[in-house]
Every structure is written in C-alpha cells, then in structure tokens.
Amino acid sequence: MTGQDWMEKDFYAALGVSKDADQAEIKKAYRKLARQFHPDQNQGDPKAEARFKEIGEAYAVLSDTEQKQQYDAIRSMAGGGARFAGGPGGGPAGFEDIFGSMFGGGAPTGRAGGPGGPRVQYQQSGGFEDILGQMFGGGAGRRPAGFGGPQQQRGADIEHKATLSFRAAVQGTTVEMTVDGRDLTARIPAGVHDGQRIRLRGKGRPGVNGGPAGDLMIRIQLEPHPVFSMDGDDLRMTLPVTFAEATLGTTVEVPTLSGETVRLKVPAGTPSGRVLRLKGRGVATTKKTGDLLVTVQVVVPQKLSRAAKKALEEFAAAADGDDDVRAGLAARAAQ
C-alpha cells in the first residue's frame, strides 16, 4: 500500500470496529470476518476474496501498535484537509499544512518564491517519506510502512495449543484444528514432549502486499499416563517388588506401552531405586528407538500374619552380626 492508500482506506470500517477499539476487539472482529469471507468457504466468489484481502490488510496494520499509531496520525492529517499535492497554485491546503497540523503552527520556515503562493525548500536530501520517518521515530533513510511504494510485510505468527494423550505423543498422530476460520490438519511426529512447539511454516496469518505468510506454532500439552513417563527417547516406569523378590532375586512380567509384556530379571540383592533397562522398548522416532527404564521399588508390607512375622524375626536373628548397613554414617555426617 502507498501513503495515499492509508489516507483513503478506513481500516476501522473494514473490520467494523470503532476507532477506540482495543486489541482484543480488533482481533475478535478480524477472526469473525476472516472465517466468514475465507476463500475456502467462498470458492469462486471474487467479491468474498476481495473482502478477505481487505480484512487482512486492515488487521495487519491495526494489530501492529507502531503501524496503528502511524495510520491514526496520517488519517488525522487527512481529516484536517492535508494532502500530498502542493506547490504553485496548490492553495493553502498543501504539503506544508501537514506540518501545521502536526505541530500546531503554520508552514515550516522557508522562503517565498514565485507567483501563486509560498514555496517551501528543505535542506534535506531525502523526500517526504524521509521526513515522516523522522517524525515517527524512524530516522533519516528509514521509511514508515506504507510510503515510498508498496511495502511487503510478513504475516504474523499464530500459536495454537494441542492437547495430546501420552500414547498419541509417543506414537505420533495427526490433529485437526480451526485457526482464524481455517480448518487445518497437522502431523505430530512421534516423541513430542510436554511444552514442545512445532512450527508449521506459512500457516500463520497472510502477508501484506505479497509478503510471505507467518507461521503456525503448535504448543504441545501432554496428558499424564498412570504408569509411563518420557525421558528423551526413553520411557520410564516404576516396578514394585516384594522384599523377598528383591532379596532372593526373581523374574517378573513387565508391561510395555505397546500392550505386550516382557520378562525382566531382577537380580538377587536388588535395592530399591535401582534402574534396570529393557532395550528397544522406548520411543521409536525416525532417528532411533529408546529403551524402557524400570526403577525397582521394594514394597514394605504394612501388615504381617503371625507366621510371617515369626519368620521375619527368625531372619533378623540369623542375620544379626552381618554387615552394618549404617556403618560410617555418623562419621560422614560429622564431616
């Protein structure tokens, strides 16, 4: 868009909002209209396509705080009678009126020249857009968006949250979503983690004046699993075993996420907290397959039968004099 476009187009009217609308109102109006006039919903309708483009142009400017300030200032100039035309015979509503409306004074300091009215001369090498760039904080050589010919602008990125079951995250899945009135299907690769963001390039908001579209960022949120958790490409689980199994050793059936069970040997004398590894039973990605890490948890019985209690007392008596499990603890604590 050119500077003249900004003067002539009413972006607030395009979105159906007042000039005092905040960003939430502007965004809500844009989403509603984008859904209504989206080309996918109005195939073969050139009027709807033109309306959709108009909505996109309006939102691209009004959703950007800096551009919105520039647009409001320029529209204010236009409302006060300022125009780009000027020079001899141009009348009092010429180029210099812009500065008068901005600063509350008359024409900038210059010199009168020729018949037909005042002529202003500036000692700057830049043009009108360079002057406006300075007024809006751009500095010399920097032109605000909309001046000096059509300016391409990249569309805004959009973030969308996708909630997945633990199994779907491990195995990979597809999710369907509606973003700004568009129905999209996204492929989620195997092994995504909670809080991870997946970028879909070009699926964000459309660009302006032929600029590239923004990206869609999908933020993954995982539902917890009652047994398994993820650790990189590995899966983790806790395996309860009895005191006797941990002491004497045993072989147990361990469930996997695929639904199969595998046999795992628990060596004699395995303490609580030891991690045993099942190769190739973790997350299968395109690069590798992780393992299943099994943490042994020795379960202490809360109630004992009379016979079990007697047997345990006999065991304690027989083991009396064996290694002191707390040997050296006090000395280490005193260091």
Side-chain angles (χ1 to χ4, degrees), residues 6-7 12 66-80 82 98 101-102 132 135-136 147:
W6 275 27
M7 281 191 168
Y12 292 101
E66 182 178 351
Q67 288 200 58
K68 183 176 182 295
Q69 291 176 347
Q70 295 174 7
Y71 173 74
D72 288 343
I74 292 170
R75 289 283 295 177
S76 177
M77 296 176 197
I98 295 176
S101 64
M102 288 292 291
L132 283 181
M135 289 196 296
F136 291 117
F147 287 91

Side-chain angles (χ1 to χ4, degrees), residues 3 22 35 44 77-78 82-83 90 104 114-115 118 140 152 170 175 197 206 208 219 229 241 247 257 265 270 308:
D22 58 21
R35 188 179 297 111
M77 296 176 197
R83 61 180 185 269
Q152 288 189 344
V170 170
V175 295
R197 284 176 170 80
V208 177
R219 180 165 56 87
S229 63
V241 298
T247 302
L257 190 64
K265 182 179 180 180
T270 297

Side-chain angles (χ1 to χ4, degrees), residues 252-300:
V252 297
E253 295 286 337
V254 176
T256 64
L257 190 64
S258 65
E260 301 176 279
T261 59
V262 293
R263 293 174 65 81
L264 175 67
K265 182 179 180 180
V266 179
T270 297
S272 190
R274 176 167 293 177
V275 178
L276 305 177
R277 185 182 297 267
L278 287 170
K279 290 281 190 180
R281 296 291 179 170
V283 181
T285 67
T286 55
K287 296 181 179 180
K288 60 175 291 189
T289 299
D291 303 328
L292 175 59
L293 305 179
V294 181
T295 301
V296 175
Q297 182 183 57
V298 179
V299 179
V300 177

Side-chain angles (χ1 to χ4, degrees), residues 83 85-97 115-118:
R83 61 180 185 269
F95 172 55
E96 57 271 26
D97 291 333

